[in-house]
Amino acid sequence: VGMHADLEITTRGSSWLFAVCAIMGASTIVFMGMAFTKPQSERLFHYITAAITCTACIAYFAMGSNLGGTPIQAEFIRSNSAAVFGAGTREIFYVRYIDWVVTTPLLLLDLMLTAGMPTATILATIFADEVMVVTGLIGALTQTSYKWGFWTFGMFAFFFVVYEILIDGRRHANALGGAPKKAYNLAGVWLIGIWFLYPIAWGLCEGGNVIHPDSESIFYGILDVLAKPGFGALLLFMHKNIRVSDLGL
Ligand code: RET
């Protein structure tokens, strides 16, 4: 049933994707459980963080079921150790980008609301983030080397996001001082450090077709666990001494 790519995930890849699905689901339950220990007015960051892992849980359910992907012509295929030249298709999981277009703005919101950044700055940063994800998707679905043009547009957008988080956001967080400053600086460095690995993974997978889709699942899977439940747990832990109302929210 459905279209098969010449190079696609195996049952091992599928099991790993379901394992990540379970981690995302369990994290969602934990974050919601933590939310209910707080009064309603103090739950904003718990809700944002739970929405992120909930979205990922569903995306990983799709990928584990070998859904949300489509065969895309790749220049050549390297299957396991043997390099096989010629025409062939690779399974591209476009569902990742549907996940990212929802979750990456929420991750940025978690961080930027912690620093009390102005609404216009938050919206501009989220716009750049959306450009980054959508150009990444178009590039992934492109069968020619024009795909690297889309990747380059995405990198420009990403550098704007990095500037806003590391320079502009830090300035706002430092002005607040105290617990928000500590939370922002730690979670911000964690976020940017992990996000830098995504365009590298893209280059090895959707871009260059250098690593097998099973390896892709492991690479992106580890990044997603660090970037979603890992980041979320760190952020909520650092929020222990911050009152949502003190941030003007
Ligand atoms: C793409 C390709 C185009 C250039 C760049 C990219 C960056 C993607 C990033 C994704 C982050 C995803 C997260 C998911 C949730 O856990 C689109 C791969 C820069 C940074 C954090």
Side-chain angles (χ1 to χ4, degrees):
V1 182
M3 289 189 294
H4 278 277
D6 298 320
L7 198 61
E8 60 179 7
I9 56 161
T10 67
T11 52
R12 283 157 172 268
S14 166
S15 303
W16 161 258
L17 289 162
F18 277 127
V20 177
C21 169
I23 293 172
M24 296 297 181
S27 309
T28 307
I29 292 166
V30 169
F31 294 146
M32 286 307 290
M34 289 167 67
F36 293 133
T37 68
K38 305 263 174 191
Q40 238 166 16
S41 59
E42 291 295 320
R43 293 178 186 170
L44 176 62
F45 291 92
H46 295 75
Y47 286 162
I48 294 174
T49 306
I52 293 164
T53 50
C54 175
T55 305
C57 175
I58 299 166
Y60 271 89
F61 181 80
M63 292 189 282
S65 315
N66 210 0
L67 297 169
T70 192
I72 293 292
Q73 194 68 39
E75 295 219 324
F76 54 87
I77 288 179
R78 290 190 187 84
S79 143
N80 296 327
S81 55
V84 181
F85 282 81
T89 56
R90 179 192 176 90
E91 180 175 31
I92 298 295
F93 283 116
Y94 58 82
V95 71
R96 288 191 190 290
Y97 301 85
I98 300 177
D99 169 328
W100 296 351
V101 87
V102 175
T103 58
T104 56
L106 291 175
L107 288 161
L108 292 172
L109 209 51
D110 251 351
L111 201 53
M112 299 179 108
L113 290 177
T114 300
M117 290 173 78
T119 305
T121 310
I122 292 178
L123 291 178
T125 307
I126 287 178
F127 170 73
D129 175 80
E130 283 166 347
V131 169
M132 175 189 86
V133 174
V134 173
T135 54
L137 171 62
I138 303 301
L141 297 176
T142 299
Q143 317 203 352
T144 63
S145 46
Y146 280 94
K147 66 199 306 147
W148 296 104
F150 289 101
W151 181 85
T152 306
F153 279 119
M155 286 303 285
F156 278 109
F158 178 52
F159 281 124
F160 178 76
V161 173
V162 172
Y163 168 82
E164 284 303 329
I165 298 300
L166 290 187
I167 312 291
D168 210 17
R170 188 184 299 266
R171 195 165 48 78
H172 282 279
N174 289 348
L176 285 182
K181 172 182 168 179
K182 278 190 200 149
Y184 182 90
N185 286 330
L186 191 58
V189 165
W190 178 264
L191 181 137
I192 295 299
I194 293 161
W195 283 35
F196 253 108
L197 298 172
Y198 281 88
I200 296 172
W202 190 99
L204 296 174
C205 304
E206 292 99 322
N209 191 31
V210 176
I211 65 175
H212 191 276
D214 278 351
S215 312
E216 165 188 330
S217 301
I218 294 170
F219 196 162
Y220 276 128
I222 291 172
L223 292 186
D224 284 351
V225 169
L226 296 175
K228 290 188 174 100
F231 171 88
L234 178 68
L235 187 96
L236 292 180
F237 176 76
M238 297 302 286
H239 263 267
K240 269 165 66 142
N241 301 316
I242 302 173
R243 280 173 54 94
V244 169
S245 50
D246 289 343
L247 296 170
L249 299 167

